Structures are given as structure tokens and as C-alpha cells.
Amino acid sequence: MAAGVPSWQAPPWLSRWWAAKTPTERRIVAALALLIAAASGWLALWQPLQRDLQALRVAVPAERSLLADAQHRVDEMAGLARNSPLRPPPEARAELERVLGERGLRGNVTQLDWQEGRARIVFAAVRFDALIAALEALQRDARLRIVEATLTARVDPGTVRAELVLAR
């Protein structure tokens, strides 16, 4: 044998027992060992595999239906994206003024500057929930998104000082 390769040796009691058996008895023991190994393999491997295969066969129609539905939805979304006319972007300044007026926040603005297509807005004191609603409307309608923001809590509960920079 090659050096460093461990070899397995049967325990002495098993070697004595095996040597005491006739060749016919040895064949019978080997056949029984093979039969036990085959039965164990069948119980441990084959049966679980068959159960799993059957479960997968049952699940295939439902999975195909879900896949077809998903493909249909993707095709529908792609068709809507191709066929829907894109709205031209609204004038950012006018849309900003409109949203602030609708939300009742125009009076809370202490500074409003436009530089390089960006709006810098400062609210000295504004209700946080009203600010979030206005920002959502600005993003949805005017496509103005926050580029920079500094929010500072005020003494009054639920109000903040907000310095925002909005851009497309």
C-alpha cells in the first residue's frame, strides 16, 4: 500500500468469526449484507425521492399557471409603457408654487431661491406630516425630488425647521 494511506482492519473478534465460517456461510452473510444495504438505500433514498417527485408533479400545473399570469402581466405593462403618451414635464416653478399653495404651506416658506434648475426652500416652522405630504405631491406631480435636506426638530411637537434642495 502507499505510504500515508490508512487501511481498515476488521476487529480481531470479527476476523476470527469470519475465518470460522465456511465459504457457503460467507456467501450467505455477504448476500444478507447486500440485501440489508439495498433495503436501507431504498428506504433512505429512493422513497423520499419518489415522494418529492410526486409532490413536484402535483405542483407543476399551479406553477405554470402563475408563470403564465406573470408573463401576461409583464406583456401588459410593456404594452402600457409603449402606448401611453408621456406627459411633458410641467414647469417646475409653477408646479412648486401650486403644490405649496394647495397644501397651505406657501405662508410657511421663509426662503425660496432657484439656482441652476434647483429650488432651495427654507421653512422656519412647518408641520412634519404636512411637509411629507407636500414632498410626495411634488415628486409625483412636478417630478421634483429631494437632493439635499436638513430637518431640525423644533420645540413645538410635530414641527420641524426644514432646509430643502429640490431638483429633477
Side-chain angles (χ1 to χ4, degrees):
M1 259 202 224
V5 177
S7 63
W8 182 80
Q9 291 183 351
W13 63 268
L14 185 59
S15 297
R16 284 191 305 271
W17 179 82
W18 188 255
K21 299 299 173 195
T22 65
T24 305
E25 290 174 329
R26 288 182 189 173
R27 279 191 221 112
I28 291 172
V29 169
L32 283 174
L34 185 62
L35 181 65
I36 290 171
S40 297
W42 184 73
L43 288 173
L45 298 173
W46 187 254
Q47 279 189 331
L49 283 174
Q50 292 303 311
R51 280 193 305 267
D52 290 347
L53 283 174
Q54 185 59 32
L56 288 174
R57 284 186 188 114
V58 169
V60 164
E63 297 294 330
R64 283 189 180 147
S65 171
L66 288 173
L67 178 62
D69 183 47
Q71 287 173 335
H72 175 71
R73 288 177 188 232
V74 166
D75 292 342
E76 186 176 308
M77 285 188 280
L80 288 173
R82 276 191 305 264
N83 297 335
S84 68
L86 293 176
R87 295 183 305 173
E91 172 60 36
R93 290 177 194 232
E95 199 65 26
L96 175 63
E97 293 288 339
R98 182 188 65 78
V99 170
L100 290 175
E102 283 178 357
R103 304 289 176 176
L105 297 179
R106 186 63 184 110
N108 295 30
V109 175
T110 56
Q111 182 182 352
L112 175 60
D113 299 324
W114 284 89
Q115 292 178 353
E116 300 174 10
R118 293 181 173 202
R120 177 170 162 56
I121 308 170
V122 177
F123 294 94
V126 64
R127 295 223 20 103
F128 182 73
D129 55 345
L131 177 64
I132 297 302
L135 290 172
E136 180 184 4
L138 284 169
Q139 182 172 341
R140 182 184 59 243
D141 299 339
R143 297 187 188 148
L144 287 171
R145 289 170 177 67
I146 296 175
V147 178
E148 294 177 32
T150 303
L151 300 176
T152 308
R154 295 187 41 91
V155 176
D156 301 328
T159 62
V160 295
R161 172 180 165 74
E163 297 177 22
L164 307 170
V165 176
L166 304 173
R168 287 200 172 149

